[in-house]
Amino acid sequence: MMLRLAWCRSTSRNSCVKPARLLTPGFSGAYSTQQCSGGNWRYLRPIPHPTLSDWSLLSLSLPAYYLSPSVFMSMASGDKVPSSTLHRHTNRLVKEKSPYLLQHAHNPVDWYPWGQEAFDKAKNEDKPIFLSVGYSTCHWCHVMERECFEDEEIGKFLSDNFVCIKVDREERPDVDKVYMTFVQATSGGGGWPMSVWLTPDLRPFIGGTYFPPRDRGGRPGLKTVLSRIMEQWRNNRPALESSGERILDALKKGTSIAANQGESPPLAPDVAKRCFQQLARSYEEEYGGFKDSPKFPTPVNLMFLLTYWSVNRSTTEGVEALHMALHTLRMMALGGIHDHVTQGFHRYSTDSSWHVPHFEKMLYDQAQLAVAYITASQVSGEQLFADVAKDILLYVSRDLSDKSGGFYSAEDADSVPATGGPEKREGAFCVWTASEVRELLPDVVEDATGAVTQADIFMHHYGVKEQGNVAPEQDPHGELQGQNVLIVRYSVELTAARFGISVEKVNELLASARDKMAEVRKSRPRPHLDTKMLASWNGLMLSAFARVGAVLGDKVVLERAVQAGNFLKKHLWDSEQQIILRSCYRGDQMEVQQTCPPISGFLGDYAFIICGLLDLYEATLQTEWLQWAEELQLRQDVMFWDDQGGGYFCSNPSDSTLLLQLKEDQDGAEPSANSVSASNLLRLSHYTGRQDWLQKSQQLLAAFSDRLNRVPIALPEMVRALMAQHCTLKQIVIRGQRDAPDTTDLLAAVNSLFLPHKVLIHIDGTSDSFLCQRLPILSSMTQQSGVSTAYVCQGFTCSLPVTDPLELRRLLLDSSIEMQTA
């Protein structure tokens, strides 16, 4: 067994490990990469592990320890610390822009940001490096800072004996991936905060996650671990370094992903069926979702299921896939994971019924869920799903939007209760006591059965109880005692019948109550807002606004999408160097700021922005976005493509500070950038006629063949790309004036349907247009009788021209059915 440097514990309010489940050695993070990366188990390729003798040098015998913690164009506001606040300590992180690094700027620790200054210091003084990685809305990162990094004694020991580097994992996902891979391989798990000890040349030799400050119950705390590491660094350094070197060599071999010479992608129908079967086995029938608890939204799974249905509509499995996706989305919308008062979705549910969430809200969840819900509305025609998609965008526009057009990263789970007190509490901003609800909604409802108030109806519908509705096992710290997390317990029809009033009246009363509660929320202390703006997550959100706006035909939503596209080009694109920048930040005067030097973008930044631009083109038909997508794809190929093995590296291989060149092989909380790139390449090949991009997409999929064949559940988004390759994309070409009513009607027919295997092309008759230059055949597609005309092409064959929107819709539906039987 491997040495455990971290403490294991059961599910806490932020933990992603099931209660009373003993993990393989070493896991202790509040945010486990095994489940927090979207709810899927992390499938790691086995690598040789060192023996116990390799690690016994530290003379630590650490048994597993279980600690039981339990408006669209508007702009968001955030909490600000007064500049006049006096601090006892200030370190160089005060010069950084990252909200997470700034949270540590007044620790009694001599922190450095990741960079050459820290590396040079470690080499010049021949000191080991203590690398601490987290993010600003991570609860257990806050705990470790408060317990350890604000401790004077621990701070002095760290500063005297180590070069201490603090990394925001959202700002530097490349660094996080490398060292998390090490921690996972050597401990069997991982999470944040992540703690890793490195040699001066950045090679890891010990890793863990959360540590308490001092020994508890015979178990060592961070102070003890630090002392013993230094003892062994002085007395047994060669053995420590050689052990770490062996593990690193094994990781380089074990994480390699490459296609064999001449290898083709796996068979799409077989892989897709296996992916469906694996998801079906983990599906929880009563409340939807996958596994029992904690339960994650996993939009990548839901989008796969909807796509699987679209090509298997007539089969039992296709119908089952549709049910799984729609039932999960419906139960999530009704649950406490959905904020019924101020919209948006929390990170995950701590129980199987989607009731009590971890209250953090992440931008990437909002983006992907908005797409999933609008897709469900296309498939089912249910207004509920479209309403939820609009609500998500309302939340993002109001609370996560910068005036520049960018989107902020996250809102924290913890905040100071409205009743006051020094300590922040989980969910304090969101929960309600019964007395608060009764005081806020005292009006008697006319025509109702009995002397019924608005509060009575609201409490019945949303499960509010006098004693609170949170079970003790979901609240191990007692922070939610007597509180209520709103969850829809009855349909509007049942609530109306219970109180003898009309459905319309119930809807009116509930909407009025939610508005009043939203006003109360405004007076409560807000959770911390991470105002960092990331290129990749902004790309995901761009897709969401573009796709929802297109389906709904909502000009305001589409205007917000265009604003987001303009933001990306103005603030996160360096036109001189022709590179995407990873991040920018909101300044004290609400201006957009950048680090010096700025952080270059990673693969995910390019892939997600390209996808967003393609979606924005299809929503607005403005070719400038398509042109920029083409430009970015060319840059992505130069910077990240693996000429030997196929696929893209997560970061630029020329960065010598990164010891591993990794290719992300899991669609988790975010889709893998390689998965998204496989689809981008395919779409762009149909827009530009470039066969090399079609071949690149195939080579990429071939590189991941082993993974796709063995555990496709780990890559559902990539399976969707594989299915698209197999089905061959349709090119839906509309010839006509862009803003003409007849063009709009044809577009509405296209956007009313979920067509995962299509590209939408608009031409206005200009032969020298961007698209006609790349696809000369488009010039031959003419308008019929002077009205806007649609053509549906697939595999070098086009349909007869169509001018009637209903006929176009029938044609698209019929061709989808033909695809299933082909």
Side-chain angles (χ1 to χ4, degrees), residues 158-194:
L158 279 168
S159 302
D160 290 347
N161 294 281
F162 301 90
V163 174
C164 302
I165 299 179
K166 177 62 72 172
V167 168
D168 181 340
R169 68 172 296 264
E170 296 168 353
E171 197 177 55
R172 293 301 304 257
D174 55 336
V175 176
D176 178 64
K177 281 186 176 75
V178 167
Y179 294 105
M180 184 59 74
T181 301
F182 170 82
V183 171
Q184 286 178 317
T186 56
S187 70
W192 300 278
M194 176 170 64

Side-chain angles (χ1 to χ4, degrees), residues 617-687:
Y617 165 71
E618 293 200 350
T620 65
L621 306 179
Q622 297 169 357
T623 54
E624 63 182 282
W625 306 117
L626 193 55
Q627 288 177 271
W628 193 29
E630 181 187 51
E631 185 179 353
L632 291 183
Q633 187 63 60
L634 290 168
R635 290 299 296 154
Q636 177 181 319
D637 294 346
V638 169
M639 296 176 69
F640 304 104
W641 181 256
D642 178 4
D643 289 320
Q644 279 72 47
Y648 294 97
F649 294 113
C650 294
S651 54
N652 195 324
S654 65
D655 188 343
S656 61
T657 65
L658 298 177
L659 306 179
L660 296 173
Q661 289 302 326
L662 300 172
K663 298 174 186 175
E664 182 63 52
D665 59 352
Q666 182 185 15
D667 295 322
E670 306 165 48
S672 157
N674 270 291
S675 298
V676 175
S677 293
S679 293
N680 290 346
L681 289 165
L682 184 60
R683 294 171 74 181
L684 280 166
S685 71
H686 283 72
Y687 279 121

Side-chain angles (χ1 to χ4, degrees), residues 362-398:
M362 305 299 297
L363 181 65
Y364 58 75
D365 281 326
Q366 316 308 320
Q368 294 175 87
L369 284 171
V371 172
Y373 274 101
I374 203 63
T375 303
S377 77
Q378 289 177 298
V379 167
S380 69
E382 288 188 40
Q383 188 62 38
L384 167 69
F385 297 128
D387 289 343
V388 175
K390 287 188 289 186
D391 278 356
I392 293 171
L393 299 192
L394 175 61
Y395 161 69
V396 172
S397 296
R398 184 189 63 238

Side-chain angles (χ1 to χ4, degrees), residues 91 174 228 271 297 349 365 395 550 563 614 660 668 696-697 738:
N91 57 56
D174 55 336
R228 295 185 184 176
V271 171
S349 174
D365 281 326
Y395 161 69
Q563 189 184 15
L614 295 178
L660 296 173
K696 261 189 166 63
S697 181
R738 189 174 70 192

Side-chain angles (χ1 to χ4, degrees), residues 188-324:
W192 300 278
M194 176 170 64
S195 306
V196 193
W197 286 265
L198 323 175
T199 63
D201 58 358
L202 306 180
R203 299 180 180 274
F205 58 90
I206 295 294
T209 51
Y210 163 83
F211 293 91
R214 287 173 177 78
D215 303 353
R216 293 175 185 165
R219 296 173 175 86
L222 181 62
K223 181 65 166 63
T224 299
V225 171
L226 292 172
S227 298
R228 295 185 184 176
I229 287 176
M230 280 312 302
E231 178 185 338
Q232 296 305 318
W233 179 257
R234 295 186 185 108
N235 301 328
N236 295 291
R237 178 172 172 176
L240 279 181
E241 292 178 328
S242 65
S243 175
E245 193 68 36
R246 286 197 300 275
I247 295 171
L248 198 60
D249 288 341
L251 284 174
K252 288 178 180 178
K253 296 175 183 177
T255 59
S256 175
I257 295 174
N260 298 319
Q261 188 68 31
E263 187 175 6
S264 298
L267 294 174
D270 295 345
V271 171
K273 184 171 184 176
R274 194 174 301 116
C275 186
F276 165 74
Q277 290 169 341
Q278 290 176 351
L279 283 171
R281 284 195 290 270
S282 65
Y283 178 68
E284 195 273 293
E285 293 188 1
E286 185 174 6
Y287 294 103
F290 306 93
K291 306 294 184 183
D292 291 328
S293 64
K295 199 173 267 189
F296 291 81
T298 58
V300 289
N301 290 345
L302 302 175
M303 290 303 296
F304 165 77
L305 290 171
L306 292 169
T307 303
Y308 188 78
W309 164 80
S310 75
V311 296
N312 295 279
R313 301 183 194 202
S314 60
T315 69
T316 302
E317 287 188 335
V319 173
E320 185 180 352
L322 179 62
H323 169 75
M324 289 163 61

